[in-house]
Amino acid sequence: PSLGARPGCVTMPAPVTLADLDAFLGEHRRCGDLDGGVTDTGDGSAVVWMTCSCGAALRRLDGPFEAAA
């Protein structure tokens, strides 16, 4: 998935928290399909993201990131 801005996407510089992900899930679990993942940015950090089929999206910068070997 593209890391570019999407309509309804909020990018926050704050570290990702379980509360952020839980709130998004709670708000959108009945909308439709949810997707999510972690993307290595290549600079030692990562973006944790979730999207909903309704168009809502959540992106949070997290770091440092170490890819599993």
Side-chain angles (χ1 to χ4, degrees):
S2 169
L3 293 179
R6 296 180 186 174
C9 181
V10 177
T11 301
M12 302 293 290
V16 66
T17 66
L18 186 55
D20 295 332
L21 301 175
D22 189 52
F24 187 88
L25 178 62
E27 187 173 335
H28 294 281
R29 70 170 34 136
R30 291 184 179 92
C31 292
D33 294 329
L34 294 170
D35 192 15
V38 178
T39 304
D40 183 356
T41 62
D43 66 358
S45 61
V47 173
V48 178
W49 58 271
M50 291 185 78
T51 61
C52 179
S53 59
C54 76
L58 171 107
R59 279 182 54 192
R60 295 288 191 269
L61 183 62
D62 192 29
F65 176 72
E66 293 183 25

